[in-house]
Amino acid sequence: MSSPASSTSSLSHTSRTPSPVYSGSASTAPSTPSDSPATHFLLTHHSSPAFLKSLSVRRGSKDRILHFFGTGFVNALLLQASEVLGDSGIVAADNWERVKGSDGAESVEYWCTKSAASNVAVVPGSETTDFAKLEVKSTSLPAASVLNLYAEAQLRSIITLSSTSNSLTLNILERTPFTFPLLAQTPSTPLNLSSNPFTIPSIPCFRELWSAWDLVTLGMIPPSMLHQKPIDLRHKPLFYIGHLPTFNALLLTKLLSIPMVEPAKYASIFERGIDPHVDDPEHCHRHSEVPEKDEDWPVLGEVLGFRDRVRELVVKTIGEMERGERPLTRRMARTLVMMHEHEGFHIETLLYMLIQRAGTGTLPPPGFSVPSWSHLSSQWDSIPPPSTPTVTLGGCTLVMGHDDTESDDLLPENAESVNGRTFGWDNESPRRETYVKPFKAEWRPVTNGEFLEFFLSRSGEIPMPPSWVKDSETGEINVRTLYGPVEMEHAKHWPCLTAYDDLLAYAQSKGGRLPTEPELRLFLDKYQVSHAEGANVGFRNWHPLPSTTGLADNDGRGSNGGVWEWSSTLLDTHDGFEGTTIFPGYSSDFFDGKHQVVLGASYATIPRLADRRTVRNFYQHNYPYPWVGARVVYDI
């Protein structure tokens, strides 16, 4: 993204005292599951998170849980599951053992494949279950509640299969290498007594984020790509692997008044990324001078060793504050928030770069199952259209932003006032009001299918979105995913991801325009669901989904599909704006008349950023790579 990916004036210290060279070994790629047979569990009772969490489903493996809800016989859905998983053994009753166990105070029976029977209490002398006669009688749950149940159990739903003859549903679950918990699960800690999800991050919060970052950088980028540029306007992947720990080291060591983590030379190589003007790449703000030759860059192992030393410093510092050995100040809390969220933003930045080489260089996310595109797209085709073509909003006063001015941190009365405080970036503050005139908005962002029709009708006038790619053999236009390109037929209902300029041209062809920031904020406030309500954010999927807004059964509320959305508002100063001194130039470097404000969140946005209403992102209007779509609005 434009903002944390590339901003700041110099964060470097003016002088440093060398620190001892760390001699520990760096961690490397995420572990690979063993080749032992996959274990499956079949559950027909209303399971608790603790019970689901207790099942021996290995992270990143092919182990699966088949979890039924509702009422009906299981056989038809088991047959569908066998097709989705490509495992005909699922429907063979001889492959399963009936098991007795307990879920809290309740005695339950469930089934597991015989490969795991030695680890569970198999019912002795039990006959083979006839799945054609196995009937489920449990309570159905709303889809969002089911997703939350699985999030609490550190599981991910691969697909939900529904019966056409009764209320029965089947969720196929996996335990992935990382999951982001619900914000409501934020624990109370000595530094966060109020369990506020938007205040100082805990050590587990950092570890969750590092797990995701390591999976992307070490599991999806082969060594041959470390020095390649998936996008010419950005650095090579190796830069970003070094940039995040360098950024954290510079901020934290400066605040603690301690020597820079060694090697100190990384501060000059990895400090700041680039965000050149798309139409004039020679024009770019101040940035790190990186080596020109591949052989002059640090080797990966050295960079990972540095990364680990910085992480140790982060954990040590938070631990000292938790134990009362170091005072918790608002300045310290804000710095740690910036470090954490900067990493969260950069996961997405790196991924939207890597997707340009997915299928031709980068690897799919390890430990996450490849989607069953044909089964999923069949489900997506059945999502009903909005109840009405558009919705009318406005004629109201809207509150923008929140009061979180960084300079207030230094007032004596605020220095140690942290508990319960919500932190944000400089452009989120202060709280201000604006009047939004009445307007009409389309319920859903422009889809790939809609933009394809427009693109083909304007042959040569509109560039093809970089989120699409032509098949070299058939000439057909496909859609990029991190698993490799998929047929347009599978992704036609997803929001189209491309530059502001091109989506504006689409909107104008329909007699509309793109919304202002207040208009878009008003729509999202009223109709966009949160992570806990089922939004496609926080890596629930590694691809967009069709939007579900505009349906009567939820008062129009739904997910926009898991994308940021363009606004017609230029990033600029506003009344009361004060630029950050911790991260100089974060916003103000881009008050250049070229960057549009974007709101929302993508499928790769961490929940902390996705659900904080005041977060504002920004990209150049003609920069087509990030995961930003748009909805059309109309004047009244």
Side-chain angles (χ1 to χ4, degrees):
M1 66 173 286
S2 291
S3 36
S6 53
S7 51
T8 83
S9 301
S10 177
L11 297 168
S12 306
H13 303 310
T14 55
S15 62
R16 297 185 184 89
T17 302
S19 60
V21 176
Y22 175 82
S23 60
S25 61
S27 59
T28 53
S31 59
T32 302
S34 67
D35 293 330
S36 57
T39 299
H40 299 332
F41 296 88
L42 191 158
L43 311 178
T44 59
H45 73 280
H46 198 307
S47 310
S48 69
F51 177 82
L52 292 170
K53 197 171 183 179
S54 72
L55 297 176
S56 55
V57 177
R58 296 164 294 175
R59 285 190 178 275
S61 71
K62 294 186 177 180
D63 297 348
R64 300 291 181 261
I65 298 175
L66 310 180
H67 195 198
F68 287 91
F69 281 101
T71 302
F73 292 95
V74 305
N75 210 38
L77 290 184
L78 278 182
L79 183 60
Q80 288 188 47
S82 71
E83 295 173 355
V84 170
L85 297 176
D87 184 356
S88 59
I90 286 177
V91 294
D94 289 345
N95 289 335
W96 296 85
E97 294 278 12
R98 189 154 57 97
V99 179
K100 279 190 174 180
S102 59
D103 189 347
E106 179 187 3
S107 296
V108 296
E109 286 192 355
Y110 59 102
W111 290 259
C112 75
T113 48
K114 290 182 178 179
S115 60
S118 61
N119 301 321
V120 294
V122 174
V123 178
S126 60
E127 297 180 358
T128 300
T129 301
D130 184 350
F131 286 139
K133 298 179 180 178
L134 178 60
E135 185 177 14
V136 179
K137 294 181 179 179
S138 71
T139 305
S140 295
L141 288 177
S145 298
V146 174
L147 290 175
N148 293 344
L149 169 67
Y150 299 148
E152 192 171 347
Q154 298 179 348
L155 294 166
R156 172 181 176 266
S157 177
I158 297 171
I159 192 172
T160 301
L161 304 174
S162 300
S163 172
T164 57
S165 59
N166 50 51
S167 67
L168 195 64
T169 60
L170 167 60
N171 288 275
I172 304 178
L173 312 176
E174 64 181 348
R175 181 157 286 135
T176 52
F178 70 86
T179 54
F180 285 101
L182 300 171
L183 295 181
Q185 292 178 262
T186 303
S188 174
T189 71
L191 306 183
N192 184 16
L193 297 175
S194 61
S195 302
N196 181 353
F198 306 119
T199 191
I200 180 172
S202 64
I203 292 173
C205 285
F206 272 103
R207 293 197 188 282
E208 289 156 3
L209 197 57
W210 293 338
S211 293
W213 178 251
D214 290 350
L215 181 138
V216 171
T217 53
L218 302 177
M220 297 177 65
I221 306 173
S224 61
M225 278 199 64
L226 287 174
H227 290 282
Q228 298 178 20
K229 287 187 177 184
I231 294 176
D232 287 338
L233 295 170
R234 289 289 179 267
H235 280 307
K236 59 181 64 177
L238 182 59
F239 171 85
Y240 295 97
I241 298 174
H243 171 59
L244 292 195
T246 299
F247 177 90
N248 289 349
L250 287 169
L251 262 64
L252 194 53
T253 58
K254 182 177 181 180
L255 184 63
L256 298 176
S257 298
I258 61 175
M260 174 63 179
V261 178
E262 290 291 339
K265 66 179 182 180
Y266 282 7
S268 60
I269 300 174
F270 294 118
E271 178 193 359
R272 188 180 190 188
I274 54 174
D275 182 26
H277 288 174
V278 175
D279 48 9
D280 181 14
E282 294 299 317
H283 182 83
C284 187
H285 54 59
R286 192 204 64 80
H287 55 86
S288 299
E289 294 298 329
V290 299
E292 294 184 2
K293 298 179 180 179
D294 292 353
E295 59 266 28
D296 292 336
W297 283 78
V299 298
L300 177 62
E302 293 175 355
V303 176
L304 296 181
F306 173 73
R307 175 206 66 183
D308 288 349
R309 295 191 290 279
V310 174
R311 289 178 177 179
E312 289 173 5
L313 178 61
V314 173
V315 171
K316 176 176 178 289
T317 302
I318 296 175
E320 289 172 346
M321 291 188 294
E322 288 181 336
R323 295 187 298 270
E325 299 167 5
R326 179 184 297 278
L328 169 62
T329 65
R330 191 182 288 185
R331 189 78 165 177
M332 176 65 79
R334 186 181 300 280
T335 299
L336 287 165
V337 167
M338 286 184 172
M339 290 162 54
H340 186 272
E341 294 189 357
H342 174 257
E343 293 205 23
F345 275 128
H346 259 299
I347 292 177
E348 189 169 341
T349 302
L350 187 56
L351 285 173
Y352 80 61
M353 293 167 50
L354 296 180
I355 203 171
Q356 294 298 312
R357 291 290 310 279
T360 61
T362 60
L363 305 172
F368 288 78
S369 61
V370 177
S372 177
W373 298 115
S374 58
H375 289 88
L376 288 168
S377 63
S378 177
Q379 293 182 356
W380 297 333
D381 285 342
S382 67
I383 297 175
S387 305
T388 58
T390 60
V391 59
T392 300
L393 300 95
C396 64
T397 297
L398 178 71
V399 173
M400 302 283 288
H402 64 161
D403 289 323
D404 179 44
T405 304
E406 185 183 301
S407 60
D408 288 347
D409 298 351
L410 304 180
L411 297 176
E413 62 270 25
N414 295 334
E416 297 186 9
S417 175
V418 177
N419 187 47
R421 181 166 191 79
T422 293
F423 292 94
W425 297 88
D426 57 8
N427 63 49
E428 297 178 47
S429 183
R431 181 186 185 277
R432 54 206 182 277
E433 294 183 352
T434 186
Y435 183 76
V436 183
K437 296 189 295 185
F439 68 101
K440 289 184 178 181
E442 295 201 354
W443 280 107
R444 298 175 182 176
V446 180
T447 66
N448 282 319
E450 291 168 335
F451 197 82
L452 176 63
E453 184 177 345
F454 171 70
F455 169 74
L456 295 175
S457 71
R458 296 288 186 93
S459 178
E461 298 178 25
I462 301 294
M464 189 174 79
S467 59
W468 300 352
V469 60
K470 276 192 176 182
D471 186 289
S472 59
E473 295 183 0
T474 67
E476 295 292 322
I477 293 177
N478 295 330
V479 177
R480 297 184 192 272
T481 80
L482 290 162
Y483 301 92
V486 299
E487 296 175 16
M488 177 65 73
E489 185 64 22
H490 296 328
K492 63 186 177 183
H493 299 302
W494 299 355
C496 179
L497 308 176
T498 194
Y500 170 89
D501 291 350
D502 303 326
L503 286 164
L504 175 61
Y506 173 89
Q508 291 172 338
S509 74
K510 296 189 66 177
R513 56 181 175 83
L514 298 190
T516 65
E517 180 186 4
E519 288 172 338
L520 180 55
R521 180 72 270 157
L522 182 61
F523 181 93
L524 295 176
D525 283 352
K526 190 170 179 62
Y527 295 113
Q528 175 66 18
V529 294
S530 67
H531 178 238
E533 295 172 302
N536 184 29
V537 299
F539 294 94
R540 277 189 165 139
N541 299 280
W542 289 74
H543 54 81
L545 296 175
S547 175
T548 56
T549 46
L551 301 180
D553 60 358
N554 195 26
D555 297 325
R557 303 184 76 246
S559 170
N560 73 351
V563 299
W564 296 88
E565 295 189 36
W566 291 107
S567 84
S568 62
T569 299
L570 286 171
L571 180 72
D572 204 346
T573 189
H574 52 254
D575 289 344
F577 171 81
E578 291 185 19
T580 170
T581 59
I582 299 175
F583 195 165
Y586 170 79
S587 298
S588 58
D589 274 0
F590 304 98
F591 295 167
D592 55 10
K594 294 181 178 291
H595 286 74
Q596 308 295 139
V597 174
V598 306
L599 301 180
S602 86
Y603 58 88
T605 307
I606 62 174
R608 177 190 182 104
L609 290 167
D611 276 8
R612 191 168 74 242
R613 176 184 178 272
T614 54
V615 168
R616 305 168 78 216
N617 203 343
F618 46 93
Y619 293 104
Q620 291 180 59
H621 63 94
N622 52 355
Y623 186 54
Y625 298 104
W627 294 333
V628 189
R631 71 183 61 245
V632 181
V633 299
Y634 305 89
D635 293 323
I636 294 180

